Amino acid sequence: MQVIKRLPTQLANQIAAGEVVQRPSSVVKELMENAIDAGATEISLNIKDGGRTLISIQDNGSGMNAEDALLCFERHATSKIDAIDDLFKLTTMGFRGEALASIGAVAHVSLKTKREEALTGVHIKMEGGNIAMNEEVVCSKGTLIEVKNLFYNVPARRNFLKSDSIEFNHIEDAFLYIAIAHPEVSFILHHNSQAIYNLSAANLKRRVTDVLGKNAGDRVFPIESETDIVKLTGFIGKPETAKKTRGSQFFFVNKRFFKSSYFNHAVLKAFEGLIPEKTHPTFFIFLEVDPAKIDVNIHPTKTEIKFEEERFIYSILLSTIRQSLGMFNLMPSLDFELETAFDLPAGFNKQPIVEPTIQVDPNFNPFKPQANSGKSNGFSKGIKEQGFGSTTPNEADWQSFYSINETPLPEQQELPGITDVQSVADLLLVGRYIFTPVKTGVMMIDSKRAMERILYDECIESFVKHPLNQQMLLFPIDKPLEKQEVRIVSNHLKTFEQLGFNISLEEQVLHILGAPEILHENGVVQCLEELIDRVEYSEQHQEDVAHSLVLQMVKHAARYHRISNKSEAELQIQRLFSCPDHTLSPSNEPIIQILAFEQLNQLIK
Ligand code: ADP
Ligand code: MG
């Protein structure tokens, strides 16, 4: 019996659609790419309900004649390549001829299109992969495609979709990937009739700043370099604008967005010593390379790209960014002192802070082979020698102080409790640690983590019931926001109120009138920034938003907290031991360690 059969076209298309159309944002990507390939100068998108109800896109590109309009829904139908060789010199975004066939197989699609020279256009409707309508229509040059009820016939996919706001986030990303790479084209994006972006045709700098939001022009600087292998252009955020989450990081090669942890590393390396750990610089980096030297085909959704001269590009990226950082004399205005002061052993805080300086050789050409290695080393050494980001005591001093943490500890039989504390009169404060004698040795309490635990327990309990205690700011603060941030804040105003903020939004400016009582007034803005980043991250990773936000805020508050005398330490110990989970911080780091006599004896040997 014959068991192999040919799949019907519709089924084959539906299966292929699984690769091409994973979620609404994939449709947006494919349709926008088609509009660009058609030479459009105006592209307008209309989205309803995160794209599940409607994705509509109008362009003023070449349009199609009646025959092409029918053909474009067939699989492997493309106007972009003729022969296999064409694959290696691609200048178009699409080439597989699969997108429209795939979309037509899993949604209701309407296409209206007209070429400039034609008198009338054509209106085609596809349903379940079949042509449901094909008529002449009067319309202007270009193409209008409406995709409705995505995955109506693929319940597994439909059920897999996330909330509208998460799907829309993906759409916004897909939109930006294309809009940023094509500043000469104007783009409009609406979601549920609300205007999200209205980007007029412009140069790259204007496009980048339009995307980032008000006053962004001051926050970026240009990069540029050209070698035989790669031409590099773009804009990078100044060090002080680095963010806790990777919000705005964009790589493009030949105008195609891609992701690369390897190149990301080069950028981070260029910023080494200039931004705090675990923060991410903003960047919009464009590479132009010979299309024959990249492979855009290694990933089904094509965000990863293989480069033939990866290593070379890495070093060019690194040195170009470093050079620009020097040229634009970007003196960091970061508050390093705050964090380090807290982490240094007592006494070290009073040391004078050395003004950070960067020595730059303006004639430094990173592409001169002999200058390459030597100079870039000299550069970072320069930063270190100037004592950038640290106070004067040498590292070895406080490393040895901390090495006490690394001594292996014996198994603990019982959790330490308040009864172990023999006498609060013998408390000793060293840096952020409280030491107190216990029967078996010395108890060491990390007062910063202790504070996190105390505040977390207090806040999480009341957060769910009523807004946290608030203090009005003596001087209200206005903070300009980026567009993505505006959307996040306006979607979560209630949450921020619940956390104890008194804020309002006016266009792209956030007015801050009051803040949670537990925050230090100087930290309010930074804390809000962290929270905004955090909401976005939590949503995307489906974290428990309450836990995650309260934790973030508490960590911020604890950073400013200092124990300055014994009675404060005593009070903190009491508050800590009344928390049920007093040995672990809310992010599960140990708060208490007991240094047993045996260990202490070992140390002094
Ligand atoms: P590909 O882009 O890989 O060629 P698609 O399925 O996305 O495949 O599109 C098939 C063809 O339909 C394209 O090659 C192009 O000729 C035509 N086409 C699609 N969208 C448009 C548009 N917006 N304007 C003009 N032509 C289009
Ligand atoms: Mg295409």
Side-chain angles (χ1 to χ4, degrees), residues 218-219 237-242 271 273-276 325 328-339 353-358 388-389 522 526 529 560:
D218 308 335
R219 289 185 266 143
K238 292 183 178 171
E240 64 268 26
T241 64
F271 274 90
L274 294 175
I275 57 176
L325 278 162
F328 290 88
N329 208 8
L330 292 169
M331 298 294 277
S333 60
L334 282 168
D335 193 3
F336 276 104
E337 207 242 328
L338 180 68
E339 278 274 272
I353 307 285
V354 177
E355 207 29 62
T357 52
I358 302 176
F388 180 79
N522 293 340
Q526 201 198 345
E529 282 170 358
Y560 282 83

Short mmCIF file of all heavy atoms in Angstrom, two decimals, residues 218-219 237-242 271 273-276 325 328-339 353-358 388-389 522 526 529 560:
data_model
loop_
_atom_site.label_atom_id
_atom_site.label_comp_id
_atom_site.label_asym_id
_atom_site.label_seq_id
_atom_site.Cartn_x
_atom_site.Cartn_y
_atom_site.Cartn_z
N ASP A 218 20.68 65.29 22.60
CA ASP A 218 21.84 65.52 23.47
C ASP A 218 22.37 64.23 24.06
O ASP A 218 23.40 64.21 24.71
CB ASP A 218 21.45 66.40 24.67
CG ASP A 218 20.77 67.65 24.20
OD1 ASP A 218 21.01 68.05 23.05
OD2 ASP A 218 19.97 68.21 24.99
N ARG A 219 21.62 63.17 23.91
CA ARG A 219 22.01 61.95 24.60
C ARG A 219 22.78 60.96 23.74
O ARG A 219 23.16 59.91 24.19
CB ARG A 219 20.76 61.28 25.19
CG ARG A 219 20.18 62.04 26.36
CD ARG A 219 19.04 61.32 26.99
NE ARG A 219 17.76 61.76 26.46
CZ ARG A 219 16.74 60.97 26.23
NH1 ARG A 219 16.84 59.68 26.45
NH2 ARG A 219 15.60 61.46 25.77
N GLY A 237 24.49 55.92 22.61
CA GLY A 237 24.05 56.71 23.76
C GLY A 237 25.25 57.06 24.63
O GLY A 237 26.18 56.28 24.76
N LYS A 238 25.23 58.24 25.19
CA LYS A 238 26.32 58.63 26.09
C LYS A 238 26.34 57.70 27.31
O LYS A 238 25.31 57.16 27.68
CB LYS A 238 26.13 60.08 26.54
CG LYS A 238 26.32 61.03 25.38
CD LYS A 238 26.20 62.47 25.82
CE LYS A 238 26.45 63.37 24.62
NZ LYS A 238 26.15 64.77 24.91
N PRO A 239 27.52 57.54 27.91
CA PRO A 239 27.63 56.56 29.00
C PRO A 239 26.56 56.72 30.08
O PRO A 239 26.01 55.75 30.56
CB PRO A 239 29.03 56.83 29.56
CG PRO A 239 29.79 57.41 28.43
CD PRO A 239 28.81 58.18 27.61
N GLU A 240 26.24 57.97 30.42
CA GLU A 240 25.31 58.16 31.54
C GLU A 240 23.88 57.76 31.19
O GLU A 240 23.01 57.74 32.04
CB GLU A 240 25.37 59.60 32.08
CG GLU A 240 24.93 60.67 31.10
CD GLU A 240 26.10 61.24 30.29
OE1 GLU A 240 27.11 60.51 30.10
OE2 GLU A 240 26.00 62.39 29.83
N THR A 241 23.62 57.45 29.92
CA THR A 241 22.26 57.05 29.57
C THR A 241 22.11 55.53 29.53
O THR A 241 21.07 55.02 29.15
CB THR A 241 21.83 57.62 28.20
OG1 THR A 241 22.69 57.04 27.20
CG2 THR A 241 21.96 59.12 28.15
N ALA A 242 23.15 54.80 29.94
CA ALA A 242 23.06 53.33 29.94
C ALA A 242 21.92 52.88 30.84
O ALA A 242 21.63 53.51 31.85
CB ALA A 242 24.38 52.74 30.43
N PHE A 271 32.80 50.34 26.33
CA PHE A 271 32.28 51.18 27.42
C PHE A 271 32.85 50.77 28.78
O PHE A 271 32.48 51.32 29.80
CB PHE A 271 30.75 51.06 27.48
CG PHE A 271 30.04 52.02 26.57
CD1 PHE A 271 29.72 51.66 25.27
CD2 PHE A 271 29.69 53.28 27.01
CE1 PHE A 271 29.07 52.53 24.43
CE2 PHE A 271 29.03 54.17 26.18
CZ PHE A 271 28.73 53.79 24.88
N GLY A 273 34.40 50.35 32.14
CA GLY A 273 34.89 51.37 33.06
C GLY A 273 34.13 52.67 32.99
O GLY A 273 34.29 53.55 33.83
N LEU A 274 33.28 52.81 31.98
CA LEU A 274 32.54 54.07 31.83
C LEU A 274 31.10 53.95 32.28
O LEU A 274 30.43 54.94 32.55
CB LEU A 274 32.55 54.52 30.36
CG LEU A 274 33.91 54.90 29.79
CD1 LEU A 274 33.80 55.21 28.31
CD2 LEU A 274 34.46 56.10 30.54
N ILE A 275 30.58 52.72 32.31
CA ILE A 275 29.20 52.53 32.77
C ILE A 275 29.21 51.49 33.87
O ILE A 275 30.06 50.61 33.90
CB ILE A 275 28.27 52.09 31.62
CG1 ILE A 275 28.78 50.80 30.96
CG2 ILE A 275 28.13 53.17 30.57
CD1 ILE A 275 27.86 50.26 29.89
N PRO A 276 28.24 51.60 34.80
CA PRO A 276 28.22 50.63 35.90
C PRO A 276 27.96 49.22 35.36
O PRO A 276 27.39 49.05 34.29
CB PRO A 276 27.04 51.08 36.76
CG PRO A 276 26.66 52.43 36.28
CD PRO A 276 27.16 52.57 34.88
N LEU A 325 34.16 57.94 21.74
CA LEU A 325 33.99 58.31 23.15
C LEU A 325 35.04 59.34 23.55
O LEU A 325 34.76 60.29 24.26
CB LEU A 325 34.12 57.08 24.05
CG LEU A 325 32.88 56.20 24.19
CD1 LEU A 325 33.25 54.83 24.73
CD2 LEU A 325 31.87 56.86 25.12
N PHE A 328 34.49 62.84 21.53
CA PHE A 328 33.42 63.70 22.01
C PHE A 328 33.58 64.00 23.48
O PHE A 328 32.67 64.51 24.12
CB PHE A 328 32.06 63.07 21.68
CG PHE A 328 31.80 63.12 20.21
CD1 PHE A 328 32.24 62.10 19.38
CD2 PHE A 328 31.20 64.23 19.65
CE1 PHE A 328 32.05 62.17 18.01
CE2 PHE A 328 31.01 64.31 18.29
CZ PHE A 328 31.43 63.28 17.46
N ASN A 329 34.74 63.62 23.99
CA ASN A 329 35.11 64.00 25.33
C ASN A 329 34.00 63.72 26.33
O ASN A 329 33.53 64.59 27.04
CB ASN A 329 35.44 65.50 25.33
CG ASN A 329 36.43 65.80 26.43
OD1 ASN A 329 36.96 64.87 27.06
ND2 ASN A 329 36.68 67.06 26.66
N LEU A 330 33.56 62.48 26.31
CA LEU A 330 32.38 62.15 27.11
C LEU A 330 32.76 61.85 28.54
O LEU A 330 33.02 60.73 28.91
CB LEU A 330 31.66 60.97 26.48
CG LEU A 330 31.05 61.39 25.16
CD1 LEU A 330 30.55 60.19 24.39
CD2 LEU A 330 29.93 62.38 25.38
N MET A 331 32.81 62.92 29.29
CA MET A 331 33.12 62.75 30.70
C MET A 331 31.89 62.19 31.38
O MET A 331 30.83 62.79 31.33
CB MET A 331 33.45 64.10 31.31
CG MET A 331 34.67 64.71 30.67
SD MET A 331 36.09 63.73 31.03
CE MET A 331 36.45 64.38 32.64
N PRO A 332 32.02 61.08 32.02
CA PRO A 332 30.83 60.49 32.62
C PRO A 332 30.34 61.33 33.79
O PRO A 332 31.14 61.91 34.51
CB PRO A 332 31.32 59.13 33.10
CG PRO A 332 32.79 59.21 33.14
CD PRO A 332 33.23 60.30 32.23
N SER A 333 29.02 61.41 33.93
CA SER A 333 28.47 62.13 35.08
C SER A 333 27.77 61.13 35.99
O SER A 333 26.75 61.41 36.57
CB SER A 333 27.50 63.21 34.61
OG SER A 333 26.47 62.59 33.89
N LEU A 334 28.32 59.93 36.06
CA LEU A 334 27.68 58.90 36.86
C LEU A 334 28.03 59.04 38.33
O LEU A 334 29.11 59.47 38.68
CB LEU A 334 28.17 57.53 36.39
CG LEU A 334 27.53 57.05 35.12
CD1 LEU A 334 28.29 55.86 34.60
CD2 LEU A 334 26.08 56.69 35.38
N ASP A 335 27.13 58.61 39.14
CA ASP A 335 27.36 58.69 40.57
C ASP A 335 27.95 57.38 41.08
O ASP A 335 27.30 56.58 41.70
CB ASP A 335 26.04 59.00 41.27
CG ASP A 335 26.27 59.40 42.71
OD1 ASP A 335 27.45 59.50 43.11
OD2 ASP A 335 25.29 59.60 43.42
N PHE A 336 29.23 57.18 40.78
CA PHE A 336 29.86 55.95 41.23
C PHE A 336 30.06 55.96 42.73
O PHE A 336 30.10 54.95 43.38
CB PHE A 336 31.24 55.78 40.58
CG PHE A 336 31.16 55.17 39.23
CD1 PHE A 336 31.31 55.93 38.09
CD2 PHE A 336 30.91 53.82 39.10
CE1 PHE A 336 31.23 55.35 36.85
CE2 PHE A 336 30.84 53.24 37.87
CZ PHE A 336 30.99 54.00 36.74
N GLU A 337 30.21 57.16 43.25
CA GLU A 337 30.59 57.30 44.64
C GLU A 337 29.55 56.64 45.53
O GLU A 337 29.87 55.96 46.49
CB GLU A 337 30.71 58.78 44.98
CG GLU A 337 31.66 59.07 46.09
CD GLU A 337 30.94 59.72 47.25
OE1 GLU A 337 29.97 60.46 47.02
OE2 GLU A 337 31.37 59.46 48.37
N LEU A 338 28.29 56.82 45.15
CA LEU A 338 27.20 56.31 45.96
C LEU A 338 27.37 54.82 46.25
O LEU A 338 27.37 54.39 47.38
CB LEU A 338 25.90 56.56 45.20
CG LEU A 338 24.65 56.06 45.91
CD1 LEU A 338 24.42 56.90 47.14
CD2 LEU A 338 23.47 56.12 44.98
N GLU A 339 27.54 54.03 45.18
CA GLU A 339 27.62 52.58 45.36
C GLU A 339 28.89 52.17 46.09
O GLU A 339 28.85 51.41 47.02
CB GLU A 339 27.56 51.88 44.00
CG GLU A 339 26.15 51.71 43.50
CD GLU A 339 25.50 50.45 44.05
OE1 GLU A 339 25.65 49.41 43.42
OE2 GLU A 339 24.87 50.51 45.11
N ILE A 353 38.11 61.73 46.62
CA ILE A 353 37.75 61.09 45.36
C ILE A 353 38.58 61.72 44.25
O ILE A 353 38.72 62.93 44.18
CB ILE A 353 36.27 61.34 45.03
CG1 ILE A 353 35.38 60.95 46.20
CG2 ILE A 353 35.87 60.64 43.75
CD1 ILE A 353 35.20 59.48 46.39
N VAL A 354 39.11 60.87 43.40
CA VAL A 354 39.89 61.40 42.29
C VAL A 354 38.96 61.69 41.12
O VAL A 354 38.17 60.85 40.73
CB VAL A 354 40.96 60.39 41.85
CG1 VAL A 354 41.74 60.91 40.66
CG2 VAL A 354 41.89 60.11 43.02
N GLU A 355 39.02 62.88 40.64
CA GLU A 355 38.23 63.29 39.49
C GLU A 355 38.55 62.36 38.30
O GLU A 355 39.72 62.20 37.96
CB GLU A 355 38.69 64.70 39.17
CG GLU A 355 37.82 65.72 38.48
CD GLU A 355 36.35 65.64 38.67
OE1 GLU A 355 35.89 65.78 39.83
OE2 GLU A 355 35.65 65.48 37.66
N PRO A 356 37.58 61.71 37.69
CA PRO A 356 37.93 60.82 36.58
C PRO A 356 38.34 61.62 35.35
O PRO A 356 37.75 62.64 35.02
CB PRO A 356 36.62 60.08 36.29
CG PRO A 356 35.55 60.92 36.89
CD PRO A 356 36.17 61.72 37.99
N THR A 357 39.39 61.19 34.72
CA THR A 357 39.78 61.85 33.47
C THR A 357 40.10 60.76 32.47
O THR A 357 40.49 59.67 32.82
CB THR A 357 41.04 62.71 33.65
OG1 THR A 357 42.03 61.88 34.25
CG2 THR A 357 40.82 63.93 34.50
N ILE A 358 39.89 61.06 31.22
CA ILE A 358 40.24 60.11 30.18
C ILE A 358 41.27 60.76 29.30
O ILE A 358 41.11 61.90 28.88
CB ILE A 358 39.01 59.76 29.33
CG1 ILE A 358 37.92 59.19 30.21
CG2 ILE A 358 39.37 58.80 28.23
CD1 ILE A 358 36.64 58.91 29.47
N PHE A 388 39.71 55.97 38.02
CA PHE A 388 38.33 56.19 37.64
C PHE A 388 37.40 55.19 38.31
O PHE A 388 37.64 54.00 38.31
CB PHE A 388 38.18 56.06 36.12
CG PHE A 388 36.78 56.28 35.70
CD1 PHE A 388 36.30 57.56 35.60
CD2 PHE A 388 35.96 55.21 35.48
CE1 PHE A 388 35.00 57.77 35.27
CE2 PHE A 388 34.66 55.41 35.14
CZ PHE A 388 34.16 56.69 35.03
N GLY A 389 36.29 55.69 38.85
CA GLY A 389 35.27 54.79 39.39
C GLY A 389 35.63 54.19 40.73
O GLY A 389 34.98 53.33 41.22
N ASN A 522 17.06 61.90 46.76
CA ASN A 522 18.01 61.96 45.63
C ASN A 522 17.93 60.75 44.70
O ASN A 522 18.50 60.76 43.62
CB ASN A 522 19.45 62.02 46.16
CG ASN A 522 19.72 63.31 46.87
OD1 ASN A 522 19.00 64.28 46.66
ND2 ASN A 522 20.73 63.33 47.72
N GLN A 526 16.08 57.94 39.66
CA GLN A 526 16.76 56.72 39.24
C GLN A 526 15.92 55.49 39.57
O GLN A 526 15.82 54.56 38.77
CB GLN A 526 18.11 56.64 39.94
CG GLN A 526 19.05 55.72 39.20
CD GLN A 526 20.21 55.27 40.07
OE1 GLN A 526 20.47 55.85 41.12
NE2 GLN A 526 20.89 54.25 39.63
N GLU A 529 13.23 55.13 37.04
CA GLU A 529 13.76 54.58 35.79
C GLU A 529 13.92 53.07 35.89
O GLU A 529 13.55 52.32 35.00
CB GLU A 529 15.14 55.19 35.49
CG GLU A 529 15.06 56.58 34.91
CD GLU A 529 16.43 57.27 34.85
OE1 GLU A 529 17.43 56.66 35.30
OE2 GLU A 529 16.47 58.41 34.37
N TYR A 560 20.63 53.33 49.75
CA TYR A 560 20.88 54.60 50.42
C TYR A 560 20.94 54.47 51.93
O TYR A 560 21.21 55.41 52.64
CB TYR A 560 19.76 55.60 50.07
CG TYR A 560 19.92 56.21 48.71
CD1 TYR A 560 19.48 55.54 47.58
CD2 TYR A 560 20.53 57.45 48.56
CE1 TYR A 560 19.63 56.10 46.33
CE2 TYR A 560 20.69 58.01 47.32
CZ TYR A 560 20.24 57.33 46.20
OH TYR A 560 20.39 57.88 44.97
#
